[in-house]
Amino acid sequence: MTTETFTLARRLRAGDTVFSAWCGLPEPLVCEAIAREGFEAVVVDMQHGMWDEPAAMQAVAQIHLAGAAPVVRVPLWHNSLVSRMLDWGAEGIIAPMINSEAEARAFVQVAKYPPVGERSIGAHRAAMIARVPDQKFYIPEANTTTLSFAMIETQSAIDNLDTIAAMPGIDVLFVGPADLSFSLSNGATLDPHSAAVDAALEKVLAACDRHKKIPGLFCRDAERAMNKAKSGFRFLTVGSDIIFLRAGAAAQLKALK
Ligand code: 3PY
Ligand code: MG
């Protein structure tokens, strides 16, 4: 018996492109409703979103039961949450601001079991979510059935792209274009679509190609996501729950005028 219900890693490793939703509102039902519209993955954003741990644990289960892959972005420098969220059934973990080889290694230590890292044993909830009898079935495959996303969002990360991408156990280089634009311009420009960001995206694609890693990108809308999927990015997030909600409310209000 295998963890066949974990589909995201298998699909991305096979070369598929996956579009994901992104949720910051701390309500599992919002994630479930969005997943049920047909998104293939949903990110629970514990960095800038308002999630606490019990709600995030519930969201992971509800996203999975709604047929999408749950991915969690942990808060900055919260490596202890990485294996916790994997233990609760996340198929992928996004770690913000991975700027150096040492930070990539520290992330892998908690995200992957030996011999790749030192993730601690205790995946009882993940085994339930994966619908296997117990963790003995989940653990041997977990290094390949779950994904580590290193966020590339600073000048230092761009400078250290090759050592981050080469790190065994880092599966995805996931670009945060807002922080990246701010860092590349030394705090002068916040523009996720800037020419400097686009140039850095080409470097990320090339590093992924060299090191056989999966390129990912945060996008504010479907147009940008489609456009960047064409250039080679394969895990693309589209908007967010709050963007969808505000756009829906604004459109209805406008129609009343
Ligand atoms: C960024 O663009 O910096 C992100 O982290 C996306 O949420
Ligand atoms: Mg960011």
Side-chain angles (χ1 to χ4, degrees):
M1 193 172 290
T2 60
T3 47
E4 272 162 27
T5 58
F6 279 28
T7 55
L8 183 64
R10 195 173 335 118
R11 290 194 49 199
L12 287 172
R13 293 189 203 285
D16 284 5
T17 298
V18 171
F19 295 97
S20 175
W22 185 277
C23 289
L25 298 173
E27 171 48 61
L29 271 172
V30 171
C31 299
E32 179 181 333
I34 288 176
R36 288 195 189 280
E37 286 304 309
F39 274 102
E40 301 155 291
V42 178
V43 176
V44 175
D45 179 15
M46 297 182 80
Q47 184 191 16
H48 296 299
M50 288 148 268
W51 293 96
D52 61 14
E53 289 183 33
M57 177 184 68
Q58 189 68 36
V60 164
Q62 282 182 233
I63 292 164
H64 184 85
L65 293 173
V71 176
V72 176
R73 176 162 78 169
V74 294
L76 189 62
W77 300 328
H78 269 55
N79 273 347
S80 67
L81 255 190
V82 170
S83 48
R84 245 164 120 64
M85 297 312 304
L86 288 170
D87 285 349
W88 295 342
E91 293 188 37
I93 300 292
I94 301 176
M97 299 262 175
I98 298 296
N99 294 333
S100 66
E101 183 181 9
E103 286 171 2
R105 182 174 294 110
F107 175 32
V108 168
Q109 289 292 299
V110 287
K112 300 291 183 186
Y113 289 118
V116 183
E118 289 175 350
R119 180 177 166 193
S120 174
I121 301 295
H124 308 290
R125 180 63 174 148
M128 289 167 70
I129 302 253
R131 292 199 275 278
V132 291
D134 65 51
Q135 60 170 342
K136 287 194 205 105
F137 295 84
Y138 166 89
I139 289 168
E141 299 178 343
N143 282 358
T144 48
T145 55
T146 66
L147 295 164
S148 309
F149 296 66
M151 284 202 78
I152 303 299
E153 45 185 353
T154 63
Q155 178 70 61
S156 327
I158 295 296
D159 294 343
N160 295 320
L161 259 186
D162 269 299
T163 48
I164 295 169
M167 180 64 62
I170 294 291
D171 301 303
V172 184
L173 298 189
F174 181 68
V175 178
D179 275 308
L180 186 57
S181 70
F182 214 48
S183 174
L184 293 180
S185 64
N186 210 13
T189 315
L190 179 55
D191 175 7
H193 299 182
S194 72
V197 167
D198 275 344
L201 293 182
E202 292 304 315
K203 292 184 186 168
V204 172
L205 283 172
C208 286
D209 201 41
R210 279 194 295 283
H211 299 282
K212 306 283 169 280
K213 300 293 164 87
I214 299 151
L217 176 63
F218 179 94
C219 298
R220 274 186 68 84
D221 55 42
E223 189 187 351
R224 175 84 169 166
M226 289 296 286
N227 193 288
K228 290 301 172 188
K230 285 192 195 114
S231 74
F233 284 90
R234 294 202 292 104
F235 179 85
L236 301 113
T237 64
V238 183
S240 71
D241 50 359
I242 192 107
I243 292 175
F244 299 156
L245 197 62
R246 290 186 64 182
Q252 293 301 315
L253 278 171
K254 194 168 170 206
L256 290 175
K257 286 181 186 141

